[in-house]
Amino acid sequence: MDQERTATVTEPKESAVLPDGSKEFVVDVHTEDMELNMGPQHPATHGVMRILLRVDGELVTGAQPHLGYLHRCAEKIGENVEWLQYLPYTDRYDYLAAMNNNLGYSMAVEKLLGIEIPRRAEMLRIICAELNRIGSHLIAFGTYGLDLGAFTPFLYTFREREWMMSLFEKICGARLTYSYIRIGGVFNDTPPGWLGEVSRFCDTFLVKWQEYYDLVVENQIFIGRTADVGVIPREMAMDFGLTGPMLRGSGIDFDLRRDMPYSLYGEVDKAGALNIPVARGEKGSLGDCWDRVWVRTMEMKESIEIVRWCLDNIEAGPVIGELPKTLRVPAGEAYVGIENPRGELGHYVVSDGGKVAVRCRVRGPSFCNLPVLEEIMLGTLLADSVAIIGSTDVVVGETDR
Amino acid sequence: MDFTGICDRLKAIGAPGILGVDEPREKNPEDKKDLGRAGDSFVLVDPEELEGFLRFCRDDTELQFELLCDLTATDPGNDDEELWLNYNLLSIAHKHRLAVKAKISKENSNAPSVADVYRAAQWHEREAAEMFGITYRNHPDPRHILLPDDWIGYPLRKDYEYPKEYRGISCE
Amino acid sequence: MSLSTLALPLSLLTDPALKLAESETPEVAEAAAEMGELTSGTNLINELLMLAPIPDFVPGWAIPLTAIMIGVAIVMGVVSLNAMAGTWLERKVSGHIQCRYGPMRAGWHGFLQPLADGIKLMLKEDMIPIGSDRVLFVMAPALVLASVLGALAVMPLSPDFFFADAPMGLFLILALTSTTTIGVIMAGWASNSKWSVYGAMREAAQVVAYEVPLGISLLVPLIVAGTFSLTEVSEMQSGMFGIGGWLIFKNPFMFPALILFFIAVLAESKRAPFDLPESESELVSGFLTEYSGIRWSFFFMEEYAAMFLYCVVTAFFFLGGFNSPLTWLFEDGGLLPNVILWNVAAFFTIVVKGYIGLFVMMWVRWTLPRLRIDQVMTMGYKYLTPISLVCVLGAGIWEWGKAALLG
């Protein structure tokens, strides 16, 4: 045991002898905080992250995340492989939202190339990105239940995610690392009947969504565990550069899809299909764990609306533009941030006009949302710290890249 | 606000350390060596004035860049003497972005830490420091973040040599 | 608690000792009779053995000893069978709640899965972590299992088949099952793991907090029934088609007491939403983190045995004990009076009632998230304890009023 307990009996210097002649002894029990390694192998860290906790009994008095266990040199690889070859590596950083990663990287390179994307490809991109957002939030939602000790929602969400993954399998052959969205468009047109199945998925999902909401989000124990826990006030959220559901969970109404529209999201917004949920602090103070989970839950519903709009408006046409086999990207630099399920996924690419990138920087939202843990985990209980880690929804593949 | 508007505002409020502005341009058809430039516009800032500059950007009511979206560095190539420091700012209130760039020499790669201005910079600076060998002055927590503490070399520099072994494990 | 712990070996011994005493000196007979007052009733195994043709060279004390051994073996068998049935049921229940099947391969609907698991657990490497307190580490699972085995000895399997019918049966069960806490704390401390210590400390805090409402809410049926003995309380509830006589219908405060008791039982047996001692997402596995193989399965057997026992206690003191329409059919003065069938029906009744309770516990476990330690404490001390006290007061007044009015 690290925890040292030393009881020392000291004789006080003053008034050592009491009036009745006996000596007074002061027993000074000296206790120390315990250091507790949460991770790298711990069920609540969602991968191989390590958090060094200082605990005083159940109370957390210090938290220090240690990263790097899953560092796979993504940025260095980006400087060593050709532009198109790097695409499959983008699948690997946030492996739960591979479509969104593909989209971010493709858009950054397309910005340098300055090419037009066929309209059908843009539609398919949005459908895939939103479906993947649903899948990613389903995992976040399910594993959050696991963190709080509710095992069952996890399997329910995996049932829906399974359908989503089989949809992706039909469209690109892969279930987790899709590489479907390519520079210049998407890899392939949809197989016959695929869009109809997506529509059926949307209908079924909304029914199931209500079940999840009633089972977990409105559960009294769940509210008791998450409300007023891990509160991130507005100023702190902005100071730490939080994005995505973490930011909206703190009551800041900002979504890149609506406020700095890319792809066809501007049109979606005009059609009124883009209703960004923003936390209002219904069950506790604004910015607590419940708010973040609520935002994610509502976003799933919102994504379904976007997908439906796309399904209504999609037209036949080409899905990928003409590109040379060896892509030479014009010299320059571009930063493109898109709204990933976890926040803003930024790609900063620098080209010198050659076949490979000079710099391929990835701004992973998980990495940027994580430092806030150091702050909000202080003074919480051990069980709360698990709830807080879960509510940040980190994917360690992305923090370490 | 678009990029020109932001630049005008920056000049109007007298933000310190602005060295210039770089905007994308077309290829010059007469000069064959000229590649042109694509992509984003950015503001070039004196690295020593970075902290003050970012503070201006954050606090000005019309710019109001509350979020430091990204902080990184770039090694443009072996024949280049300079490292770039890239900052990407985002304003939630006004829904605009600004890319800021500062250049420091590779020999003496020193820059002031901006963790005081944006808390978000702390981890990004730790990453840039270990990857590029940049010393951020007055950084509150200058440890390695992704690499092990005993890692030798700066992996994202262009002159980085891959280690033959690490702690007795062959890397080849 | 110490008194009742002592009472266990006594109660196991008394009946055989009584038989033994008949042929011995008057002093022994006197002592045995004194002890016999502690436990009333008969031991069926002993009686059956007495009926068997026994050769002369077998000494007199061998028969009661054999009876005890057989009794112990039966209790062990009950515990292991119950653990197997419990794990199977848990997997199937959780599976069907979670839209999947659970085990399907080993036997009919995975019925043999617990057997396969048991073999696996026994063949597993028995690991004792370096730096652990070996003696405590090895003793802890044994202690945990022993306490629940002792408690099960008091549980009658049918009106005429029991090992020890202690007049203070309920008291004994409560005392013995709460000693598992000591084993859990030992396990947590001995594991040399911080997570295990957390589990142990939480267990200690939780059991102390919930022992109070558990005991107090049981006072309500005790006031109504007026006995601690499980067989007596069951007899009291017979008649009215085997349902109408249940204690829960005899006092309006019985129903809230049942709810309180069940919540406290969930906390006592470390079941979700009170599974803080082993909360797998926070404390890895709590006090079980360092255990593996057969030692780990001892904890598991204890958990299911304790759950079953608590459910049986619930059945005895709230839900009619052995009485059901089936036993009503076969009981004295019923439609088809038959002692053997009556006993068999009673056995099935109590098992079914116990497993219905078990099913509810699993249902709750696979539905609800876990509470936080401070919420658990708040609930125990601030809500359950006062409410159960009010229940006891109300039940007492009701019974007093009833006695005063009806004479």
Side-chain angles (χ1 to χ4, degrees):
Chain A
M1 300 301 301
D2 281 8
Q3 192 173 8
E4 285 177 25
R5 289 193 194 84
T6 50
T8 48
V9 181
T10 49
E11 276 185 57
K13 282 161 194 141
E14 290 165 29
S15 68
V17 182
L18 294 174
D20 62 346
S22 64
K23 275 190 174 177
E24 187 192 32
F25 288 95
V26 175
V27 181
D28 173 26
V29 180
H30 171 67
T31 56
E32 273 185 16
D33 285 0
M34 183 161 73
E35 286 205 335
L36 194 62
N37 254 318
M38 194 183 252
Q41 275 90 32
H42 187 278
T45 53
H46 296 222
V48 279
M49 185 174 66
R50 172 174 153 227
I51 297 179
L52 192 62
L53 295 174
R54 283 192 78 78
V55 279
D56 175 13
E58 288 262 349
L59 207 66
V60 177
T61 55
Q64 203 174 61
H66 286 242
L67 313 177
Y69 292 93
L70 211 60
H71 183 52
R72 288 152 305 168
C73 325
E75 293 177 12
K76 189 73 179 170
I77 290 170
E79 296 171 16
N80 285 286
V81 295
E82 289 179 14
W83 292 100
L84 279 170
Q85 284 175 337
Y86 183 63
L87 197 79
Y89 290 99
T90 63
D91 290 330
R92 268 96 183 152
Y93 27 84
D94 182 354
Y95 39 77
L96 298 181
M99 285 287 187
N100 291 277
N101 301 345
N102 294 162
L103 180 63
Y105 177 71
S106 306
M107 279 177 54
V109 179
E110 283 155 10
K111 191 169 185 181
L112 284 181
L113 284 167
I115 53 174
E116 279 285 307
I117 312 301
R119 198 176 157 77
R120 187 177 171 84
E122 293 274 31
M123 286 284 194
L124 286 175
R125 280 178 172 198
I126 293 182
I127 291 175
C128 289
E130 293 304 325
L131 282 180
N132 208 336
R133 188 187 311 278
I134 293 169
S136 171
H137 281 338
L138 279 175
I139 291 218
F141 186 79
T143 50
Y144 196 55
L146 273 189
D147 287 343
L148 299 184
F151 198 87
T152 304
F154 176 68
L155 282 133
Y156 287 172
T157 58
F158 262 59
R159 179 186 53 191
E160 261 63 62
R161 185 168 176 270
E162 183 64 32
W163 193 356
M164 179 220 89
M165 288 203 298
S166 66
L167 282 172
F168 284 156
E169 195 180 355
K170 280 179 190 159
I171 202 171
C172 67
R175 285 167 61 82
L176 197 66
T177 52
Y178 313 109
S179 301
Y180 175 67
I181 297 172
R182 301 278 167 95
I183 299 164
V186 296
F187 155 65
N188 215 343
D189 207 343
T190 54
W194 190 80
L195 293 171
E197 201 181 336
V198 172
S199 169
R200 278 201 302 286
F201 171 79
C202 294
D203 295 341
T204 318
F205 183 79
L206 282 184
V207 180
K208 301 290 179 194
W209 180 90
Q210 193 60 44
E211 284 177 13
Y212 305 151
Y213 190 83
D214 295 342
L215 179 67
V216 178
V217 182
E218 292 287 345
N219 183 317
Q220 280 304 319
I221 297 180
F222 183 84
I223 293 171
R225 282 295 306 275
T226 52
D228 283 326
V229 170
V231 179
I232 308 177
R234 283 176 68 99
E235 289 70 32
M236 192 199 269
M238 293 200 271
D239 197 24
F240 275 86
L242 303 186
T243 45
M246 297 276 285
L247 190 71
R248 291 191 284 280
S250 292
I252 299 167
D253 191 5
F254 184 79
D255 190 306
L256 288 170
R257 287 173 293 175
R258 185 193 60 202
D259 297 324
M260 304 177 95
Y262 52 91
S263 197
L264 294 180
Y265 281 110
E267 283 184 40
V268 181
D269 190 22
K270 262 179 216 154
L274 199 59
N275 305 308
I276 310 293
V278 181
R280 298 186 296 269
E282 280 170 59
K283 304 288 177 191
S285 0
L286 184 63
D288 56 9
C289 291
W290 190 86
D291 280 341
R292 294 194 277 278
V293 174
W294 181 83
V295 164
R296 287 199 187 93
T297 320
M298 298 309 282
E299 267 184 23
M300 290 196 252
K301 207 175 176 183
E302 171 222 335
S303 290
I304 287 285
E305 263 182 55
I306 301 173
V307 171
R308 279 198 173 149
W309 182 85
C310 290
L311 290 175
D312 291 342
N313 291 284
I314 194 165
E315 297 148 7
V319 292
I320 190 157
E322 287 290 315
L323 280 177
K325 267 209 168 142
T326 322
L327 198 63
R328 279 178 192 278
V329 174
E333 56 183 83
Y335 177 91
V336 172
I338 66 156
E339 188 74 26
N340 230 31
R342 278 162 194 80
E344 174 176 340
L345 174 77
H347 275 90
Y348 173 68
V349 288
V350 182
S351 168
D352 59 355
K355 282 190 273 187
V356 295
V358 171
R359 179 86 171 96
C360 180
R361 156 77 176 166
V362 185
R363 182 240 189 243
S366 296
F367 181 83
C368 303
N369 290 347
L370 206 56
V372 78
L373 283 185
E374 288 179 1
E375 203 84 6
I376 58 175
M377 268 165 79
L378 296 183
T380 60
L381 294 174
L382 195 65
D384 285 341
S385 68
V386 171
I388 292 170
I389 297 169
S391 78
T392 58
D393 187 22
V394 287
V395 168
V396 179
E398 195 175 54
T399 60
D400 296 355
R401 303 184 296 280
Chain B
M1 217 187 284
D2 61 350
F3 182 69
T4 7
I6 293 170
C7 288
D8 291 345
R9 177 70 190 166
L10 279 172
K11 276 169 197 154
I13 58 171
I18 302 177
L19 295 179
V21 172
D22 194 320
E23 282 180 273
R25 57 196 159 78
E26 290 294 312
K27 214 182 270 188
N28 185 356
E30 284 166 25
D31 187 358
K32 285 205 168 171
K33 279 187 182 171
D34 183 28
L35 297 166
R37 193 173 96 63
D40 292 336
S41 321
F42 57 83
V43 182
L44 204 61
V45 177
D46 179 10
E48 297 307 314
E49 303 279 355
L50 260 172
E51 201 180 338
F53 176 80
L54 292 184
R55 213 179 280 277
F56 255 89
C57 292
R58 186 190 67 181
D59 294 339
D60 183 61
T61 45
E62 278 189 35
L63 297 174
Q64 220 172 337
F65 288 109
E66 303 105 328
L67 236 68
L68 177 75
C69 231
D70 193 16
L71 185 159
T72 185
T74 303
D75 184 354
N78 267 334
D79 45 353
D80 210 315
E81 295 293 308
E82 287 174 324
L83 282 175
W84 305 344
L85 304 176
N86 305 84
Y87 298 82
N88 200 300
L89 308 176
L90 175 69
S91 166
I92 288 169
H94 302 299
K95 303 181 182 21
H96 54 220
R97 272 183 196 284
L98 177 66
V100 180
K101 195 190 264 187
K103 291 182 177 177
I104 57 171
S105 77
K106 277 184 187 172
E107 292 292 306
N108 183 22
S109 46
N110 246 300
S113 167
V114 296
D116 269 358
V117 189
Y118 295 106
R119 174 63 178 75
Q122 195 174 320
W123 280 27
H124 287 304
E125 279 177 358
R126 279 168 71 183
E127 193 191 344
E130 67 181 358
M131 293 292 179
F132 291 93
I134 300 165
T135 314
Y136 285 99
R137 294 192 299 274
N138 302 326
H139 191 278
D141 185 17
R143 289 175 300 133
H144 277 197
I145 187 162
L146 294 179
L147 298 178
D149 287 340
D150 58 348
W151 194 263
I152 301 161
Y154 307 112
L156 283 179
R157 286 230 187 160
K158 296 288 179 196
D159 57 358
Y160 177 67
E161 281 180 20
Y162 290 91
K164 294 274 184 286
E165 61 162 36
Y166 174 69
R167 289 195 187 182
I169 305 161
S170 172
C171 299
E172 285 176 298
Chain C
M1 191 156 78
S2 60
L3 181 79
S4 47
T5 328
L6 274 175
L8 165 75
L10 286 181
S11 59
L12 268 180
L13 274 171
T14 35
D15 276 335
L18 200 63
K19 301 285 176 216
L20 184 68
E22 280 166 5
S23 58
E24 293 292 331
T25 53
E27 291 87 49
V28 178
E30 203 175 295
E34 233 170 65
M35 276 150 73
E37 281 168 15
L38 276 173
T39 65
S40 57
T42 54
N43 187 324
L44 195 68
I45 306 167
N46 199 38
E47 276 179 16
L48 287 174
L49 278 177
M50 295 295 261
L51 288 176
I54 300 158
D56 289 342
F57 59 83
V58 178
W61 48 264
I63 298 162
L65 199 66
T66 319
I68 294 172
M69 292 318 247
I70 293 174
V72 169
I74 291 176
V75 174
M76 287 288 280
V78 166
V79 168
S80 341
L81 272 177
N82 173 62
M84 285 167 72
T87 46
W88 181 80
L89 193 69
E90 179 104 83
R91 287 169 158 206
K92 293 311 263 190
V93 168
S94 69
H96 285 277
I97 284 178
Q98 294 164 354
C99 308
R100 52 191 180 88
Y101 290 114
M104 288 297 282
R105 299 298 173 98
W108 178 81
H109 279 253
F111 211 78
L112 297 176
Q113 190 70 39
L115 208 65
D117 277 347
I119 293 168
K120 182 202 79 172
L121 285 170
M122 274 192 248
L123 295 180
K124 252 185 151 177
E125 188 189 350
D126 178 30
M127 284 199 289
I128 299 179
I130 296 170
S132 64
D133 188 327
R134 286 184 73 96
V135 179
L136 287 186
F137 190 83
V138 173
M139 261 172 70
L143 186 79
V144 160
L145 195 61
S147 57
V148 79
L149 280 178
L152 270 176
V154 192
M155 190 192 100
L157 293 178
S158 84
D160 291 334
F161 188 78
F162 43 81
F163 311 112
D165 180 29
M168 298 294 279
L170 177 68
F171 191 57
L172 202 66
I173 287 176
L174 290 184
L176 282 172
T177 45
S178 58
T179 52
T180 54
T181 316
I182 297 168
V184 168
I185 295 172
M186 268 163 70
W189 182 256
S191 292
N192 189 33
S193 158
K194 291 169 186 171
W195 303 113
S196 302
V197 174
Y198 267 112
M201 290 301 132
R202 282 182 175 188
E203 162 86 3
Q206 188 174 316
V207 167
V208 168
Y210 279 82
E211 200 83 338
V212 182
L214 183 87
I216 296 175
S217 59
L218 264 180
L219 283 178
V220 176
L222 288 176
I223 287 170
V224 177
T227 175
F228 276 96
S229 163
L230 274 73
T231 37
E232 273 180 38
V233 85
S234 173
E235 270 169 41
M236 205 173 275
Q237 302 178 63
S238 60
M240 308 258 286
F241 303 102
I243 290 181
W246 292 9
L247 278 186
I248 190 148
F249 304 124
K250 290 193 175 167
N251 192 309
F253 291 92
M254 284 297 279
F255 189 70
L258 172 65
I259 305 280
L260 290 171
F261 178 70
F262 201 75
I263 294 172
V265 159
L266 284 176
E268 281 280 295
S269 51
K270 309 184 280 290
R271 295 289 292 186
F274 301 100
D275 58 343
L276 291 127
E278 44 173 302
S279 49
E280 75 284 341
S281 61
E282 294 155 28
L283 303 184
V284 191
S285 247
F287 63 94
L288 290 169
T289 309
E290 305 294 340
Y291 277 91
S292 64
I294 194 75
R295 282 188 225 289
W296 179 82
S297 72
F298 275 12
F299 283 106
F300 229 71
M301 275 150 98
E302 181 272 331
E303 187 180 333
Y304 282 101
M307 277 161 66
F308 180 66
L309 192 64
Y310 280 128
C311 291
V312 166
V313 168
T314 318
F316 270 114
F317 281 89
F318 293 91
L319 303 172
F322 289 125
N323 297 293
S324 69
L326 199 65
T327 50
W328 177 76
L329 208 63
F330 297 124
E331 74 184 1
D332 266 354
L335 292 177
L336 304 161
N338 184 324
V339 177
I340 294 173
L341 278 181
W342 179 54
N343 273 298
V344 172
F347 174 73
F348 276 108
T349 305
I350 203 68
V351 168
V352 167
K353 280 179 183 173
Y355 273 86
I356 287 173
L358 221 60
F359 170 76
V360 176
M361 284 169 124
M362 289 167 185
W363 185 9
V364 170
R365 174 177 177 178
W366 296 109
T367 309
L368 294 178
R370 186 182 306 119
L371 290 165
R372 201 167 55 207
I373 185 74
D374 61 322
Q375 292 167 341
V376 170
M377 294 290 120
T378 314
M379 193 168 161
Y381 284 123
K382 279 172 112 174
Y383 300 108
L384 292 193
T385 308
I387 295 172
S388 55
L389 281 168
V390 168
C391 277
V392 170
L393 190 70
I397 292 170
W398 180 275
E399 288 298 312
W400 173 77
K402 206 163 78 175
L405 284 176
L406 304 176

